[in-house]
Amino acid sequence: MATYVLIPGAGSDSWYWHLVAPRLEAAGHDVLAVDLPCDDDSAGLAEYTDAVVDAVGDRAGQDDLVLVAQSMGSFTAPLVAERVPTRLVILVAAMTPAPGETPGDWWAASGQTAAFEAAARRHGRDVTGGDLVELFLHDVPPDIVAEIEHHTREQSGTPFEKPWPLDAWPDVPTRFLLCTEDRLFPAEFQRRIVPARLGITPDEIESGHLPALARPAELTDYLLRCWEELERDATTG
């Protein structure tokens, strides 16, 4: 049995995982869906990390933690893994940090800005990213879209200001799920940056940027499979 610690992306809360969490629990696992202080201008990545570590609490001594990070949550998950024994990190439609790079600089430094604009022009979309429905919600069911406004929070710019503090990615098995219909982080961009920065080949799912809302069953199956493969490799290795 695993304990899945679910970390949301920017401007979001734990509701983002509300269709995935019960599916993981039905499969016999524990789930902690965490809220981050994203609308607090006094909170940076250190405070985000504290929020996750505090949520883990006395589970920190267990050898079953799986950190799942959506989008910007990828800056927090490895910081948690440095403080709490972690079996597996799973990044979903994520930003991939580099040592010494601020999250604010990430967009241009990683090549995301150029890749996003090129993909938008190629498909005749808004290159400014101003149409948030077109960018994030194009494949999310209408009933879920109607609920999102109640779970959207103002994202503070504070976590984007300071360099990501680690010298290297933690020595923890890591998986990356690329979303092939992601309009924010185009697939061709992710296929390049993930191997370059993490040294792994991303897995893929047919989804936009928010698979926990658009493809919850498929995402859950992937999260379960990652754990099962980790356990199998530990047994046979």
Side-chain angles (χ1 to χ4, degrees), residues 94-120:
M95 305 165 75
T96 306
E101 182 179 273
T102 71
D105 289 339
W106 177 89
W107 308 89
S110 67
Q112 184 275 344
T113 301
F116 169 77
E117 292 176 353

Side-chain angles (χ1 to χ4, degrees), residues 140-160:
V140 176
D143 60 322
I144 302 300
V145 172
E147 292 185 58
I148 285 178
E149 64 178 295
H150 303 296
H151 300 277
T152 300
R153 297 161 64 187
E154 190 71 26
Q155 175 61 53
S156 170
T158 300
F160 293 89

Side-chain angles (χ1 to χ4, degrees), residues 195-218:
R197 292 197 168 190
L198 291 179
I200 62 175
T201 300
D203 302 309
E204 301 192 9
I205 185 175
E206 185 177 343
S207 174
H209 188 65
L210 304 175
L213 302 179
R215 302 285 186 274
E218 294 90 336

Side-chain angles (χ1 to χ4, degrees), residues 1-4 21-31 64 224 227:
M1 183 181 73
T3 297
Y4 286 88
R23 288 176 163 89
L24 292 172
E25 291 170 339
H29 300 285
D30 287 338
V31 177
D64 64 355
L224 293 171
W227 172 256

Side-chain angles (χ1 to χ4, degrees), residues 128-191:
T128 70
D131 187 338
L132 298 184
V133 173
E134 180 183 75
L135 188 61
F136 294 113
L137 305 176
H138 55 93
D139 63 340
V140 176
D143 60 322
I144 302 300
V145 172
E147 292 185 58
I148 285 178
E149 64 178 295
H150 303 296
H151 300 277
T152 300
R153 297 161 64 187
E154 190 71 26
Q155 175 61 53
S156 170
T158 300
F160 293 89
E161 296 172 354
K162 294 182 179 180
W164 191 64
L166 297 186
D167 294 328
W169 195 261
D171 185 19
V172 176
T174 301
R175 302 283 292 266
F176 192 107
L177 186 62
L178 175 160
C179 296
T180 60
E181 309 307 310
D182 191 340
R183 295 177 178 178
L184 182 63
F185 303 148
E188 59 270 21
F189 160 73
Q190 295 284 40
R191 292 179 185 127

